[in-house]
Amino acid sequence: MIKILRPECPYPVALQNGNYKHHLNKDALKKANFDKCMYCESKISQIDFAHIEHFKPKAENKFPELEFVWDNLGYACPKCNNAKSDKFHNDTQYIDPYSENPTDYFFAAGALLLIKNGSERSEISIRDIELNRPELLERRLDKITEIQKSINACYRTTNEALKTAALNELELESSTEKEYSFFIAALLKAHAA
Ligand SMILES: [Zn+2]
């Protein structure tokens, strides 16, 4: 999970008219998220159709008054959205990447997303949204393995200028628009240390 800058709502009229899926609004969230799920950082168009996620569930007995509130809407993959479903804990709310910095709550160890500083909110987010589900671990591991191979090639080159240039190039893999950037950033940081 990484920090996402919430865009302005481009078409608030749609929300006022009871439509939270209007394509202009959905596109704005998609762009702000770099087409990645707000929770698991999977590129959505590569795996499935994007869902408009209600951070606080719109269910009748939960927060129906927030169904058409822009600040409650996010962009998520169906797997995370379905896992989270209508769950919500008022005392231990899920980490919201639009309003908080996930690096304060999680850290990456290889392909695993781990809890920082014993945070109960991190623990419940990982548990309920299934942020270490097997297919996610597999996809992250594939990416990590690919980057690790490139890192090895950089370190094995004898040309120092080439090595520095290649390592700088690899840094781009941890930029926010890249899939699983949270994990790649941790991998690159471990090498830089
Ligand atoms: Zn997801």
PDB file of all heavy atoms in Angstrom, residues 14-46:
ATOM      1  N   ALA A  14     -22.769  14.019 -10.702  1.00  0.00           N
ATOM      2  CA  ALA A  14     -23.110  12.594 -10.776  1.00  0.00           C
ATOM      3  C   ALA A  14     -23.397  12.047  -9.377  1.00  0.00           C
ATOM      4  O   ALA A  14     -24.350  11.290  -9.185  1.00  0.00           O
ATOM      5  CB  ALA A  14     -21.968  11.812 -11.422  1.00  0.00           C
ATOM      6  N   LEU A  15     -22.570  12.450  -8.407  1.00  0.00           N
ATOM      7  CA  LEU A  15     -22.771  11.988  -7.025  1.00  0.00           C
ATOM      8  C   LEU A  15     -24.090  12.522  -6.478  1.00  0.00           C
ATOM      9  O   LEU A  15     -24.855  11.787  -5.849  1.00  0.00           O
ATOM     10  CB  LEU A  15     -21.601  12.427  -6.137  1.00  0.00           C
ATOM     11  CG  LEU A  15     -20.240  11.792  -6.466  1.00  0.00           C
ATOM     12  CD1 LEU A  15     -19.133  12.434  -5.660  1.00  0.00           C
ATOM     13  CD2 LEU A  15     -20.265  10.293  -6.187  1.00  0.00           C
ATOM     14  N   GLN A  16     -24.345  13.804  -6.771  1.00  0.00           N
ATOM     15  CA  GLN A  16     -25.615  14.391  -6.313  1.00  0.00           C
ATOM     16  C   GLN A  16     -26.812  13.661  -6.932  1.00  0.00           C
ATOM     17  O   GLN A  16     -27.881  13.584  -6.332  1.00  0.00           O
ATOM     18  CB  GLN A  16     -25.671  15.882  -6.681  1.00  0.00           C
ATOM     19  CG  GLN A  16     -24.742  16.751  -5.835  1.00  0.00           C
ATOM     20  CD  GLN A  16     -24.301  18.024  -6.554  1.00  0.00           C
ATOM     21  OE1 GLN A  16     -24.947  18.457  -7.509  1.00  0.00           O
ATOM     22  NE2 GLN A  16     -23.216  18.624  -6.100  1.00  0.00           N
ATOM     23  N   ASN A  17     -26.606  13.119  -8.143  1.00  0.00           N
ATOM     24  CA  ASN A  17     -27.692  12.410  -8.825  1.00  0.00           C
ATOM     25  C   ASN A  17     -27.722  10.911  -8.476  1.00  0.00           C
ATOM     26  O   ASN A  17     -28.414  10.135  -9.137  1.00  0.00           O
ATOM     27  CB  ASN A  17     -27.554  12.557 -10.345  1.00  0.00           C
ATOM     28  CG  ASN A  17     -27.872  13.978 -10.794  1.00  0.00           C
ATOM     29  OD1 ASN A  17     -28.553  14.715 -10.074  1.00  0.00           O
ATOM     30  ND2 ASN A  17     -27.365  14.363 -11.945  1.00  0.00           N
ATOM     31  N   GLY A  18     -26.939  10.531  -7.502  1.00  0.00           N
ATOM     32  CA  GLY A  18     -26.990   9.144  -7.048  1.00  0.00           C
ATOM     33  C   GLY A  18     -26.201   8.164  -7.897  1.00  0.00           C
ATOM     34  O   GLY A  18     -26.543   6.990  -7.976  1.00  0.00           O
ATOM     35  N   ASN A  19     -25.147   8.637  -8.551  1.00  0.00           N
ATOM     36  CA  ASN A  19     -24.305   7.745  -9.348  1.00  0.00           C
ATOM     37  C   ASN A  19     -22.856   7.868  -8.865  1.00  0.00           C
ATOM     38  O   ASN A  19     -22.210   8.889  -9.087  1.00  0.00           O
ATOM     39  CB  ASN A  19     -24.415   8.140 -10.839  1.00  0.00           C
ATOM     40  CG  ASN A  19     -23.499   7.304 -11.721  1.00  0.00           C
ATOM     41  OD1 ASN A  19     -22.837   6.384 -11.252  1.00  0.00           O
ATOM     42  ND2 ASN A  19     -23.434   7.636 -13.008  1.00  0.00           N
ATOM     43  N   TYR A  20     -22.361   6.834  -8.202  1.00  0.00           N
ATOM     44  CA  TYR A  20     -20.971   6.907  -7.710  1.00  0.00           C
ATOM     45  C   TYR A  20     -19.975   6.283  -8.686  1.00  0.00           C
ATOM     46  O   TYR A  20     -18.783   6.273  -8.445  1.00  0.00           O
ATOM     47  CB  TYR A  20     -20.839   6.277  -6.307  1.00  0.00           C
ATOM     48  CG  TYR A  20     -21.107   4.794  -6.226  1.00  0.00           C
ATOM     49  CD1 TYR A  20     -20.145   3.869  -6.631  1.00  0.00           C
ATOM     50  CD2 TYR A  20     -22.311   4.320  -5.729  1.00  0.00           C
ATOM     51  CE1 TYR A  20     -20.383   2.520  -6.562  1.00  0.00           C
ATOM     52  CE2 TYR A  20     -22.562   2.948  -5.658  1.00  0.00           C
ATOM     53  CZ  TYR A  20     -21.594   2.059  -6.078  1.00  0.00           C
ATOM     54  OH  TYR A  20     -21.835   0.697  -6.009  1.00  0.00           O
ATOM     55  N   LYS A  21     -20.501   5.746  -9.820  1.00  0.00           N
ATOM     56  CA  LYS A  21     -19.613   5.067 -10.776  1.00  0.00           C
ATOM     57  C   LYS A  21     -19.422   5.860 -12.066  1.00  0.00           C
ATOM     58  O   LYS A  21     -18.985   5.285 -13.066  1.00  0.00           O
ATOM     59  CB  LYS A  21     -20.217   3.703 -11.160  1.00  0.00           C
ATOM     60  CG  LYS A  21     -20.299   2.703 -10.033  1.00  0.00           C
ATOM     61  CD  LYS A  21     -20.955   1.431 -10.552  1.00  0.00           C
ATOM     62  CE  LYS A  21     -21.070   0.385  -9.477  1.00  0.00           C
ATOM     63  NZ  LYS A  21     -21.873  -0.761  -9.913  1.00  0.00           N
ATOM     64  N   HIS A  22     -19.805   7.123 -12.078  1.00  0.00           N
ATOM     65  CA  HIS A  22     -19.720   7.879 -13.334  1.00  0.00           C
ATOM     66  C   HIS A  22     -18.293   7.795 -13.900  1.00  0.00           C
ATOM     67  O   HIS A  22     -17.314   7.918 -13.152  1.00  0.00           O
ATOM     68  CB  HIS A  22     -20.112   9.335 -13.101  1.00  0.00           C
ATOM     69  CG  HIS A  22     -20.316  10.092 -14.385  1.00  0.00           C
ATOM     70  ND1 HIS A  22     -19.271  10.604 -15.113  1.00  0.00           N
ATOM     71  CD2 HIS A  22     -21.442  10.369 -15.077  1.00  0.00           C
ATOM     72  CE1 HIS A  22     -19.738  11.195 -16.202  1.00  0.00           C
ATOM     73  NE2 HIS A  22     -21.053  11.065 -16.211  1.00  0.00           N
ATOM     74  N   HIS A  23     -18.207   7.627 -15.211  1.00  0.00           N
ATOM     75  CA  HIS A  23     -16.882   7.358 -15.796  1.00  0.00           C
ATOM     76  C   HIS A  23     -15.891   8.497 -15.595  1.00  0.00           C
ATOM     77  O   HIS A  23     -14.693   8.261 -15.448  1.00  0.00           O
ATOM     78  CB  HIS A  23     -17.005   6.967 -17.284  1.00  0.00           C
ATOM     79  CG  HIS A  23     -17.428   8.079 -18.180  1.00  0.00           C
ATOM     80  ND1 HIS A  23     -16.509   8.848 -18.856  1.00  0.00           N
ATOM     81  CD2 HIS A  23     -18.653   8.577 -18.481  1.00  0.00           C
ATOM     82  CE1 HIS A  23     -17.162   9.761 -19.564  1.00  0.00           C
ATOM     83  NE2 HIS A  23     -18.458   9.620 -19.348  1.00  0.00           N
ATOM     84  N   LEU A  24     -16.366   9.736 -15.537  1.00  0.00           N
ATOM     85  CA  LEU A  24     -15.427  10.852 -15.337  1.00  0.00           C
ATOM     86  C   LEU A  24     -14.791  10.762 -13.951  1.00  0.00           C
ATOM     87  O   LEU A  24     -13.590  10.998 -13.774  1.00  0.00           O
ATOM     88  CB  LEU A  24     -16.150  12.193 -15.492  1.00  0.00           C
ATOM     89  CG  LEU A  24     -16.546  12.594 -16.910  1.00  0.00           C
ATOM     90  CD1 LEU A  24     -17.298  13.924 -16.891  1.00  0.00           C
ATOM     91  CD2 LEU A  24     -15.321  12.708 -17.816  1.00  0.00           C
ATOM     92  N   ASN A  25     -15.619  10.437 -12.971  1.00  0.00           N
ATOM     93  CA  ASN A  25     -15.119  10.326 -11.594  1.00  0.00           C
ATOM     94  C   ASN A  25     -14.243   9.079 -11.424  1.00  0.00           C
ATOM     95  O   ASN A  25     -13.197   9.124 -10.768  1.00  0.00           O
ATOM     96  CB  ASN A  25     -16.282  10.316 -10.607  1.00  0.00           C
ATOM     97  CG  ASN A  25     -17.010  11.658 -10.596  1.00  0.00           C
ATOM     98  OD1 ASN A  25     -16.453  12.671 -11.020  1.00  0.00           O
ATOM     99  ND2 ASN A  25     -18.242  11.664 -10.121  1.00  0.00           N
ATOM    100  N   LYS A  26     -14.687   8.001 -12.048  1.00  0.00           N
ATOM    101  CA  LYS A  26     -13.906   6.765 -11.978  1.00  0.00           C
ATOM    102  C   LYS A  26     -12.537   6.958 -12.642  1.00  0.00           C
ATOM    103  O   LYS A  26     -11.514   6.516 -12.120  1.00  0.00           O
ATOM    104  CB  LYS A  26     -14.688   5.628 -12.656  1.00  0.00           C
ATOM    105  CG  LYS A  26     -14.138   4.252 -12.379  1.00  0.00           C
ATOM    106  CD  LYS A  26     -15.079   3.163 -12.900  1.00  0.00           C
ATOM    107  CE  LYS A  26     -14.493   1.793 -12.650  1.00  0.00           C
ATOM    108  NZ  LYS A  26     -15.373   0.705 -13.088  1.00  0.00           N
ATOM    109  N   ASP A  27     -12.548   7.649 -13.787  1.00  0.00           N
ATOM    110  CA  ASP A  27     -11.288   7.896 -14.503  1.00  0.00           C
ATOM    111  C   ASP A  27     -10.326   8.741 -13.669  1.00  0.00           C
ATOM    112  O   ASP A  27      -9.109   8.545 -13.722  1.00  0.00           O
ATOM    113  CB  ASP A  27     -11.551   8.592 -15.846  1.00  0.00           C
ATOM    114  CG  ASP A  27     -12.073   7.613 -16.892  1.00  0.00           C
ATOM    115  OD1 ASP A  27     -12.052   6.391 -16.627  1.00  0.00           O
ATOM    116  OD2 ASP A  27     -12.525   8.070 -17.965  1.00  0.00           O
ATOM    117  N   ALA A  28     -10.883   9.693 -12.914  1.00  0.00           N
ATOM    118  CA  ALA A  28     -10.032  10.553 -12.080  1.00  0.00           C
ATOM    119  C   ALA A  28      -9.351   9.727 -10.988  1.00  0.00           C
ATOM    120  O   ALA A  28      -8.158   9.903 -10.707  1.00  0.00           O
ATOM    121  CB  ALA A  28     -10.863  11.675 -11.456  1.00  0.00           C
ATOM    122  N   LEU A  29     -10.104   8.803 -10.413  1.00  0.00           N
ATOM    123  CA  LEU A  29      -9.519   7.935  -9.378  1.00  0.00           C
ATOM    124  C   LEU A  29      -8.497   6.983  -9.998  1.00  0.00           C
ATOM    125  O   LEU A  29      -7.415   6.760  -9.454  1.00  0.00           O
ATOM    126  CB  LEU A  29     -10.616   7.137  -8.659  1.00  0.00           C
ATOM    127  CG  LEU A  29     -11.508   7.936  -7.697  1.00  0.00           C
ATOM    128  CD1 LEU A  29     -12.664   7.078  -7.201  1.00  0.00           C
ATOM    129  CD2 LEU A  29     -10.719   8.484  -6.515  1.00  0.00           C
ATOM    130  N   LYS A  30      -8.849   6.460 -11.174  1.00  0.00           N
ATOM    131  CA  LYS A  30      -7.936   5.553 -11.872  1.00  0.00           C
ATOM    132  C   LYS A  30      -6.580   6.234 -12.132  1.00  0.00           C
ATOM    133  O   LYS A  30      -5.518   5.665 -11.887  1.00  0.00           O
ATOM    134  CB  LYS A  30      -8.569   5.122 -13.197  1.00  0.00           C
ATOM    135  CG  LYS A  30      -7.697   4.229 -14.043  1.00  0.00           C
ATOM    136  CD  LYS A  30      -8.394   3.788 -15.312  1.00  0.00           C
ATOM    137  CE  LYS A  30      -7.458   2.911 -16.139  1.00  0.00           C
ATOM    138  NZ  LYS A  30      -8.112   2.315 -17.290  1.00  0.00           N
ATOM    139  N   LYS A  31      -6.653   7.482 -12.589  1.00  0.00           N
ATOM    140  CA  LYS A  31      -5.439   8.236 -12.917  1.00  0.00           C
ATOM    141  C   LYS A  31      -4.627   8.513 -11.637  1.00  0.00           C
ATOM    142  O   LYS A  31      -3.411   8.340 -11.615  1.00  0.00           O
ATOM    143  CB  LYS A  31      -5.841   9.546 -13.600  1.00  0.00           C
ATOM    144  CG  LYS A  31      -4.736  10.212 -14.337  1.00  0.00           C
ATOM    145  CD  LYS A  31      -5.263  11.310 -15.244  1.00  0.00           C
ATOM    146  CE  LYS A  31      -4.116  12.206 -15.647  1.00  0.00           C
ATOM    147  NZ  LYS A  31      -4.465  13.629 -15.644  1.00  0.00           N
ATOM    148  N   ALA A  32      -5.321   8.943 -10.581  1.00  0.00           N
ATOM    149  CA  ALA A  32      -4.634   9.258  -9.322  1.00  0.00           C
ATOM    150  C   ALA A  32      -3.958   8.012  -8.743  1.00  0.00           C
ATOM    151  O   ALA A  32      -2.923   8.098  -8.094  1.00  0.00           O
ATOM    152  CB  ALA A  32      -5.631   9.822  -8.321  1.00  0.00           C
ATOM    153  N   ASN A  33      -4.557   6.858  -9.015  1.00  0.00           N
ATOM    154  CA  ASN A  33      -4.027   5.585  -8.499  1.00  0.00           C
ATOM    155  C   ASN A  33      -3.046   4.925  -9.463  1.00  0.00           C
ATOM    156  O   ASN A  33      -2.573   3.834  -9.179  1.00  0.00           O
ATOM    157  CB  ASN A  33      -5.177   4.587  -8.283  1.00  0.00           C
ATOM    158  CG  ASN A  33      -5.995   4.871  -7.057  1.00  0.00           C
ATOM    159  OD1 ASN A  33      -6.359   6.014  -6.808  1.00  0.00           O
ATOM    160  ND2 ASN A  33      -6.282   3.852  -6.282  1.00  0.00           N
ATOM    161  N   PHE A  34      -2.791   5.562 -10.596  1.00  0.00           N
ATOM    162  CA  PHE A  34      -1.970   4.955 -11.654  1.00  0.00           C
ATOM    163  C   PHE A  34      -2.523   3.584 -12.032  1.00  0.00           C
ATOM    164  O   PHE A  34      -1.764   2.626 -12.235  1.00  0.00           O
ATOM    165  CB  PHE A  34      -0.499   4.844 -11.211  1.00  0.00           C
ATOM    166  CG  PHE A  34       0.121   6.161 -10.858  1.00  0.00           C
ATOM    167  CD1 PHE A  34       0.261   6.553  -9.532  1.00  0.00           C
ATOM    168  CD2 PHE A  34       0.543   7.027 -11.847  1.00  0.00           C
ATOM    169  CE1 PHE A  34       0.814   7.778  -9.207  1.00  0.00           C
ATOM    170  CE2 PHE A  34       1.114   8.259 -11.537  1.00  0.00           C
ATOM    171  CZ  PHE A  34       1.240   8.632 -10.212  1.00  0.00           C
ATOM    172  N   ASP A  35      -3.843   3.488 -12.045  1.00  0.00           N
ATOM    173  CA  ASP A  35      -4.549   2.240 -12.374  1.00  0.00           C
ATOM    174  C   ASP A  35      -4.221   1.091 -11.406  1.00  0.00           C
ATOM    175  O   ASP A  35      -4.345  -0.077 -11.743  1.00  0.00           O
ATOM    176  CB  ASP A  35      -4.260   1.811 -13.831  1.00  0.00           C
ATOM    177  CG  ASP A  35      -5.176   0.674 -14.290  1.00  0.00           C
ATOM    178  OD1 ASP A  35      -6.322   0.606 -13.809  1.00  0.00           O
ATOM    179  OD2 ASP A  35      -4.735  -0.156 -15.106  1.00  0.00           O
ATOM    180  N   LYS A  36      -3.787   1.472 -10.199  1.00  0.00           N
ATOM    181  CA  LYS A  36      -3.462   0.410  -9.225  1.00  0.00           C
ATOM    182  C   LYS A  36      -4.510   0.395  -8.115  1.00  0.00           C
ATOM    183  O   LYS A  36      -5.054   1.428  -7.724  1.00  0.00           O
ATOM    184  CB  LYS A  36      -2.088   0.663  -8.592  1.00  0.00           C
ATOM    185  CG  LYS A  36      -0.947   0.615  -9.576  1.00  0.00           C
ATOM    186  CD  LYS A  36       0.405   0.552  -8.875  1.00  0.00           C
ATOM    187  CE  LYS A  36       0.682   1.766  -8.038  1.00  0.00           C
ATOM    188  NZ  LYS A  36       2.040   1.728  -7.462  1.00  0.00           N
ATOM    189  N   CYS A  37      -4.714  -0.804  -7.576  1.00  0.00           N
ATOM    190  CA  CYS A  37      -5.632  -0.953  -6.445  1.00  0.00           C
ATOM    191  C   CYS A  37      -5.100  -0.155  -5.248  1.00  0.00           C
ATOM    192  O   CYS A  37      -3.907  -0.198  -4.946  1.00  0.00           O
ATOM    193  CB  CYS A  37      -5.732  -2.434  -6.090  1.00  0.00           C
ATOM    194  SG  CYS A  37      -6.632  -2.747  -4.563  1.00  0.00           S
ATOM    195  N   MET A  38      -5.998   0.567  -4.582  1.00  0.00           N
ATOM    196  CA  MET A  38      -5.613   1.390  -3.432  1.00  0.00           C
ATOM    197  C   MET A  38      -5.046   0.570  -2.274  1.00  0.00           C
ATOM    198  O   MET A  38      -4.316   1.091  -1.449  1.00  0.00           O
ATOM    199  CB  MET A  38      -6.813   2.200  -2.926  1.00  0.00           C
ATOM    200  CG  MET A  38      -7.960   1.366  -2.399  1.00  0.00           C
ATOM    201  SD  MET A  38      -9.451   2.337  -2.003  1.00  0.00           S
ATOM    202  CE  MET A  38      -9.050   2.961  -0.360  1.00  0.00           C
ATOM    203  N   TYR A  39      -5.378  -0.707  -2.236  1.00  0.00           N
ATOM    204  CA  TYR A  39      -4.927  -1.554  -1.126  1.00  0.00           C
ATOM    205  C   TYR A  39      -3.723  -2.418  -1.495  1.00  0.00           C
ATOM    206  O   TYR A  39      -2.747  -2.458  -0.774  1.00  0.00           O
ATOM    207  CB  TYR A  39      -6.067  -2.460  -0.657  1.00  0.00           C
ATOM    208  CG  TYR A  39      -7.251  -1.723  -0.100  1.00  0.00           C
ATOM    209  CD1 TYR A  39      -8.520  -1.859  -0.673  1.00  0.00           C
ATOM    210  CD2 TYR A  39      -7.114  -0.878   0.999  1.00  0.00           C
ATOM    211  CE1 TYR A  39      -9.611  -1.182  -0.159  1.00  0.00           C
ATOM    212  CE2 TYR A  39      -8.206  -0.190   1.516  1.00  0.00           C
ATOM    213  CZ  TYR A  39      -9.460  -0.348   0.932  1.00  0.00           C
ATOM    214  OH  TYR A  39     -10.535   0.333   1.439  1.00  0.00           O
ATOM    215  N   CYS A  40      -3.812  -3.139  -2.631  1.00  0.00           N
ATOM    216  CA  CYS A  40      -2.766  -4.137  -2.914  1.00  0.00           C
ATOM    217  C   CYS A  40      -1.790  -3.711  -4.008  1.00  0.00           C
ATOM    218  O   CYS A  40      -0.830  -4.431  -4.274  1.00  0.00           O
ATOM    219  CB  CYS A  40      -3.391  -5.486  -3.254  1.00  0.00           C
ATOM    220  SG  CYS A  40      -4.116  -5.569  -4.907  1.00  0.00           S
ATOM    221  N   GLU A  41      -2.018  -2.541  -4.643  1.00  0.00           N
ATOM    222  CA  GLU A  41      -1.087  -2.033  -5.666  1.00  0.00           C
ATOM    223  C   GLU A  41      -1.011  -2.901  -6.924  1.00  0.00           C
ATOM    224  O   GLU A  41      -0.041  -2.800  -7.679  1.00  0.00           O
ATOM    225  CB  GLU A  41       0.327  -1.897  -5.088  1.00  0.00           C
ATOM    226  CG  GLU A  41       0.683  -0.522  -4.566  1.00  0.00           C
ATOM    227  CD  GLU A  41       2.203  -0.330  -4.524  1.00  0.00           C
ATOM    228  OE1 GLU A  41       2.835  -0.841  -3.591  1.00  0.00           O
ATOM    229  OE2 GLU A  41       2.738   0.303  -5.432  1.00  0.00           O
ATOM    230  N   SER A  42      -1.980  -3.784  -7.127  1.00  0.00           N
ATOM    231  CA  SER A  42      -2.008  -4.529  -8.391  1.00  0.00           C
ATOM    232  C   SER A  42      -2.531  -3.591  -9.469  1.00  0.00           C
ATOM    233  O   SER A  42      -3.467  -2.826  -9.225  1.00  0.00           O
ATOM    234  CB  SER A  42      -2.954  -5.728  -8.299  1.00  0.00           C
ATOM    235  OG  SER A  42      -2.482  -6.668  -7.380  1.00  0.00           O
ATOM    236  N   LYS A  43      -1.939  -3.677 -10.657  1.00  0.00           N
ATOM    237  CA  LYS A  43      -2.473  -2.920 -11.792  1.00  0.00           C
ATOM    238  C   LYS A  43      -3.801  -3.579 -12.142  1.00  0.00           C
ATOM    239  O   LYS A  43      -3.842  -4.764 -12.472  1.00  0.00           O
ATOM    240  CB  LYS A  43      -1.520  -3.002 -12.991  1.00  0.00           C
ATOM    241  CG  LYS A  43      -0.250  -2.185 -12.826  1.00  0.00           C
ATOM    242  CD  LYS A  43      -0.409  -0.769 -13.359  1.00  0.00           C
ATOM    243  CE  LYS A  43       0.930  -0.032 -13.302  1.00  0.00           C
ATOM    244  NZ  LYS A  43       0.798   1.414 -13.583  1.00  0.00           N
ATOM    245  N   ILE A  44      -4.865  -2.830 -12.060  1.00  0.00           N
ATOM    246  CA  ILE A  44      -6.176  -3.464 -12.148  1.00  0.00           C
ATOM    247  C   ILE A  44      -6.536  -3.928 -13.548  1.00  0.00           C
ATOM    248  O   ILE A  44      -6.997  -5.046 -13.738  1.00  0.00           O
ATOM    249  CB  ILE A  44      -7.270  -2.539 -11.584  1.00  0.00           C
ATOM    250  CG1 ILE A  44      -6.956  -2.255 -10.112  1.00  0.00           C
ATOM    251  CG2 ILE A  44      -8.640  -3.192 -11.718  1.00  0.00           C
ATOM    252  CD1 ILE A  44      -7.947  -1.397  -9.414  1.00  0.00           C
ATOM    253  N   SER A  45      -6.290  -3.100 -14.549  1.00  0.00           N
ATOM    254  CA  SER A  45      -6.720  -3.503 -15.888  1.00  0.00           C
ATOM    255  C   SER A  45      -6.013  -4.779 -16.344  1.00  0.00           C
ATOM    256  O   SER A  45      -6.466  -5.461 -17.251  1.00  0.00           O
ATOM    257  CB  SER A  45      -6.535  -2.364 -16.879  1.00  0.00           C
ATOM    258  OG  SER A  45      -5.239  -1.870 -16.795  1.00  0.00           O
ATOM    259  N   GLN A  46      -4.884  -5.112 -15.673  1.00  0.00           N
ATOM    260  CA  GLN A  46      -4.176  -6.355 -16.032  1.00  0.00           C
ATOM    261  C   GLN A  46      -4.833  -7.580 -15.416  1.00  0.00           C
ATOM    262  O   GLN A  46      -4.638  -8.690 -15.875  1.00  0.00           O
ATOM    263  CB  GLN A  46      -2.726  -6.301 -15.544  1.00  0.00           C
ATOM    264  CG  GLN A  46      -1.861  -5.393 -16.387  1.00  0.00           C
ATOM    265  CD  GLN A  46      -0.431  -5.317 -15.865  1.00  0.00           C
ATOM    266  OE1 GLN A  46       0.000  -6.149 -15.092  1.00  0.00           O
ATOM    267  NE2 GLN A  46       0.291  -4.311 -16.311  1.00  0.00           N
TER     268      GLN A  46
END
